[in-house]
Amino acid sequence: MKKLFIVLLIPFIGFSQSDCENSILVEALENENINDFFQGALSVVIEDLSFLDNCNEDVNYTLFAPGNDIPPESIPILISVASSEELIDLVNYYIHPETVNFLEFINGEIEMLDDNLAYISVQQSIDSYNVMLNQSNITIQDICTCNGVIHIIDDLIWEPNINSIENQHN
């Protein structure tokens, strides 16, 4: 029984060490769990996001990236916003300018890179620990990068002045 535990532990240790080599930007563009349309949005504004590719500074970030399980009706909304001049503002609303690991979240507000607030809701019980960012659940947490962390969420989030776009498409 002890041998089985050791064998199962080794792959997890190796997995976390190798993931930390990529920058947030590289990991976000390459991670198969991140929505293709969001990756496309990142690609469009890649020059504006070059700071997310720097592993040599002491500045770290948290990226909340929509995953592949976002509702299908959200895709046209993302595409319509992605074609607008506000795309970099949209992407900056998914970035918090410091690292916050999953178990460090507390109820309250966090300021995003675009200076708007997002709302964190933590629901904890004996059997589970759930964190929501606005209306989205964090479904995959703590993807380690050399300059921060990525959490994958199950829906799009909207900064306050874009909220009306989401409502127009519902």
Side-chain angles (χ1 to χ4, degrees):
M1 183 111 173
K2 289 183 181 179
K3 290 180 184 178
L4 179 62
F5 176 72
I6 293 171
V7 171
L8 292 176
L9 185 59
I10 291 172
F12 291 114
I13 294 171
F15 178 76
S16 65
Q17 290 174 342
S18 65
D19 281 353
C20 294
E21 295 174 8
N22 287 337
S23 68
I24 284 181
L25 187 58
V26 169
E27 185 66 33
L29 291 171
E30 295 179 356
N31 190 297
E32 65 186 23
N33 295 305
I34 296 176
N35 182 277
D36 291 338
F37 290 102
F38 188 76
Q39 288 174 327
L42 294 175
S43 296
V44 169
V45 292
I46 198 164
E47 288 182 24
D48 293 317
L49 298 174
S50 62
F51 64 94
L52 291 177
D53 197 28
N54 190 343
C55 292
N56 297 322
E57 290 190 20
D58 291 334
V59 180
N60 291 312
Y61 302 91
T62 299
L63 173 66
F64 298 93
N68 293 320
D69 56 351
I70 65 172
E73 58 272 11
S74 294
I75 300 298
I77 300 168
L78 182 58
I79 292 170
S80 71
V81 174
S83 64
S84 75
E85 295 175 3
E86 297 177 335
L87 183 57
I88 191 63
D89 290 334
L90 172 76
V91 171
N92 281 335
Y93 189 63
Y94 286 77
I95 303 168
H96 177 64
E98 58 187 62
T99 299
V100 182
N101 291 309
F102 185 71
L103 294 176
E104 296 172 341
F105 286 109
I106 58 172
N107 290 318
E109 302 172 335
I110 60 171
E111 188 172 339
M112 306 308 269
L113 202 57
D114 70 347
D115 296 326
N116 282 297
L117 297 176
Y119 303 94
I120 299 293
S121 173
V122 177
Q123 298 171 349
Q124 184 175 3
S125 69
I126 293 173
D127 298 334
S128 68
Y129 187 82
N130 185 51
V131 177
M132 293 183 73
L133 177 72
N134 293 351
Q135 78 286 355
S136 299
N137 288 298
I138 295 177
T139 57
I140 299 175
Q141 62 272 353
D142 295 337
I143 299 172
C144 183
T145 68
C146 65
N147 59 343
V149 66
I150 299 174
H151 301 294
I152 297 182
I153 54 178
D154 67 355
D155 203 353
L156 301 179
I157 57 172
W158 302 100
E159 65 179 271
N161 62 358
I162 293 185
N163 200 20
S164 60
I165 294 171
E166 180 185 29
N167 293 332
Q168 291 172 6
H169 293 281
N170 286 334

